[in-house]
Amino acid sequence: RVLFRSPFIVKKKVLDAAFIAVILYGCESWFSAGLKKVESLYMGALKALLGVRISTANDTCLVELGYPRLSDLVKNKQKEFF
């Protein structure tokens, strides 16, 4: 509950430091895994951060926050790993 009353910048730091790090842990080894379920979590968290409806377009949220698509993020992490 306290997190919902926090300023946007604090929520964004928590999202970056904790949540995204946890859901992407070990993504370097996700060679042929489907990203549907993880992408759902990722986009849900971004939409919660912005305080928009679930029906809001994903691209709009990504542009607003300056975040990459999940598939691009995973590919970049895999590229850095190898």
Side-chain angles (χ1 to χ4, degrees):
R1 275 200 168 165
V2 175
L3 188 59
F4 291 116
R5 296 182 194 157
S6 301
F8 176 81
I9 203 75
V10 173
K11 293 178 191 178
K12 189 171 186 297
K13 286 184 180 184
V14 169
L15 182 80
D16 289 338
F19 186 75
I20 292 179
V22 168
I23 66 169
L24 292 180
Y25 180 77
C27 69
E28 295 87 2
S29 63
W30 299 351
F31 297 116
S32 62
L35 296 176
K36 285 280 189 197
K37 291 182 180 181
V38 179
E39 187 169 10
S40 174
L41 272 170
Y42 180 71
M43 290 309 304
L46 296 183
K47 288 178 182 183
L49 174 65
L50 288 172
V52 297
R53 296 179 184 190
I54 297 297
S55 60
T56 305
N58 291 345
D59 291 335
T60 304
C61 297
L62 291 170
V63 168
E64 184 71 27
L65 290 170
Y67 280 56
R69 292 181 186 266
L70 183 67
S71 58
D72 295 336
L73 189 60
V74 170
K75 285 178 187 176
N76 285 339
K77 288 186 176 283
Q78 288 174 340
K79 191 167 125 181
E80 289 175 13
F81 179 73
F82 288 114

